[in-house]
Amino acid sequence: MVAFYCLLITIIFLCCAPSYVGGIKGIVKALFPFFAGRYWYITCYIALFFLMPYLNILINKMNNHLLAKLCLILVLLFSLIPSLCFTDLFRLESGYSTAWLIVCYILGAYLKRSDKKIFKGYELLIFFASSFAILGVHAMSYFIVSKEFYEVVNYRTANYVFPLILLSAVMLLQLGARMSLKHLNGKLKTFLVFLSTIVFDVYVIHCHILIYNYLITGNFKWILEYHPILIPVLVGLCAVAIFIVCAIIGKLRIILFSLIHLDKGVSWISRRLDKCLEWSD
């Protein structure tokens, strides 16, 4: 899917706006945005993907008590202590790293296995409380201390490894896991399932280096000309519009892949890879 969009977007820009692409170097960056630091999540997830079978062996060998201890150590070492020290102590790149994805993978495994859910039934309350706590810290650092101090606080608290951000993520994960689509209206259920299949398309499309640099960055400054009350509304509407456009493209991609049976081919390659790496019989 990523290769398809990189190739498609590059061809479109070469045909319609070649100056944005540039020379050979620009084409390479457009075809392989990983080299330009884009798609960090996909890059880190590829590394995690190859480690998953071996992480599963480790996780399955441990009982719930031992796995809970491991999770506690991971949270203390990689979330709480670095946040209290106000430094990236163990070089997790504020969560933009394979190491942090491994931590999240193990935490997710424990949440899936354990019957003792954290703040069960109060997930949304804890999520909003965590969010407002972070906003409160930002506001105090900006208005009471200084703008320079706020920039430091914002960088260290608005990142994936910060304890309150991690807690918010856990709450959303638990809430989503407890939700059921069985009692929903048929059309609404179909729509939600469609959204779940299309969000990755939206991410890949709008974060592509050419789309992001030339169609998104700097092209929404006009919003600042409106009344402050309208700014959040306009930002939200623009975000929804971008999502809808990307979702339509994603739906067309799904239809195309189905027509040429590409998914079946990828599944066959995946099974062969699993067998070669002894991930399956």
Side-chain angles (χ1 to χ4, degrees):
M1 190 191 303
V2 177
F4 168 78
Y5 280 124
C6 288
L7 179 61
L8 178 64
I9 292 171
T10 303
I11 291 174
I12 292 174
F13 268 82
L14 283 173
C15 294
C16 302
S19 60
Y20 289 162
V21 181
I24 299 298
K25 186 177 180 180
I27 294 174
V28 172
K29 284 185 177 180
L31 289 174
F32 306 100
F34 312 97
F35 297 146
R38 299 300 173 92
Y39 294 154
W40 72 267
Y41 181 81
I42 299 173
T43 307
C44 295
Y45 187 83
I46 289 172
L48 173 63
F49 178 80
F50 282 94
L51 297 175
M52 280 180 185
Y54 310 104
L55 290 172
N56 290 341
I57 294 173
L58 171 67
I59 292 167
N60 293 331
K61 290 288 184 180
M62 291 188 286
N63 56 38
N64 284 355
H65 182 68
L66 192 58
L67 185 57
K69 282 187 175 181
L70 174 60
C71 290
L72 180 60
I73 291 172
L74 292 175
V75 172
L76 287 174
L77 280 179
F78 301 121
S79 179
L80 187 60
I81 293 176
S83 298
L84 290 175
C85 295
F86 255 66
T87 181
D88 191 4
L89 197 61
F90 299 108
R91 298 297 182 266
L92 291 179
E93 304 295 335
S94 299
Y96 295 87
S97 64
T98 301
W100 182 246
L101 290 192
I102 292 173
V103 172
C104 291
Y105 186 81
I106 296 173
L107 294 177
Y110 173 74
L111 290 172
K112 181 180 180 181
R113 185 196 291 184
S114 176
D115 294 328
K116 299 178 182 178
K117 303 302 180 185
I118 306 170
F119 302 118
K120 185 177 181 179
Y122 298 94
E123 287 92 349
L124 278 180
L125 177 63
I126 300 300
F127 172 78
F128 284 113
S130 300
S131 301
F132 281 113
I134 295 172
L135 288 174
V137 171
H138 287 180
M140 286 189 293
S141 64
Y142 186 88
F143 292 106
I144 298 178
V145 186
S146 66
K147 184 178 179 181
E148 290 74 18
F149 183 69
Y150 160 75
E151 291 176 355
V152 176
V153 170
N154 178 63
Y155 179 74
R156 292 302 176 190
T157 59
N159 65 66
Y160 293 122
V161 303
F162 190 67
L164 291 180
I165 298 291
L166 178 60
L167 178 62
S168 298
V170 170
M171 291 299 97
L172 290 179
L173 178 63
Q174 275 190 189
L175 181 64
R178 292 200 302 109
M179 292 174 64
S180 175
L181 301 181
K182 294 180 180 179
H183 305 294
L184 293 179
N185 176 274
K187 291 183 178 180
L188 179 59
K189 182 178 179 180
T190 302
F191 177 69
L192 291 177
V193 171
F194 167 71
L195 286 182
S196 70
T197 61
I198 216 74
V199 289
F200 189 67
D201 291 77
V202 175
Y203 165 67
V204 174
I205 295 169
H206 92 279
C207 282
H208 187 273
I209 188 169
L210 293 176
I211 299 291
Y212 193 85
N213 285 1
Y214 298 110
L215 298 186
I216 295 180
T217 301
N219 288 326
F220 293 90
K221 291 180 179 179
W222 54 269
I223 295 177
L224 296 174
E225 299 176 3
Y226 288 84
H227 193 279
I229 296 177
L230 291 176
I231 289 177
V233 177
L234 292 173
V235 169
L237 290 175
C238 289
V240 170
I242 291 172
F243 186 94
I244 291 173
V245 171
C246 294
I248 293 172
I249 297 172
K251 179 61 177 178
L252 295 175
R253 191 273 310 165
I254 291 174
I255 295 172
L256 175 63
F257 278 23
S258 177
L259 289 174
I260 63 177
H261 304 291
L262 186 59
D263 289 337
K264 292 182 179 179
V266 171
S267 296
W268 181 83
I269 295 173
S270 178
R271 288 193 299 270
R272 299 292 296 178
L273 181 62
D274 288 347
K275 189 174 182 179
C276 290
L277 295 174
E278 297 183 359
W279 289 351
S280 62
D281 298 330

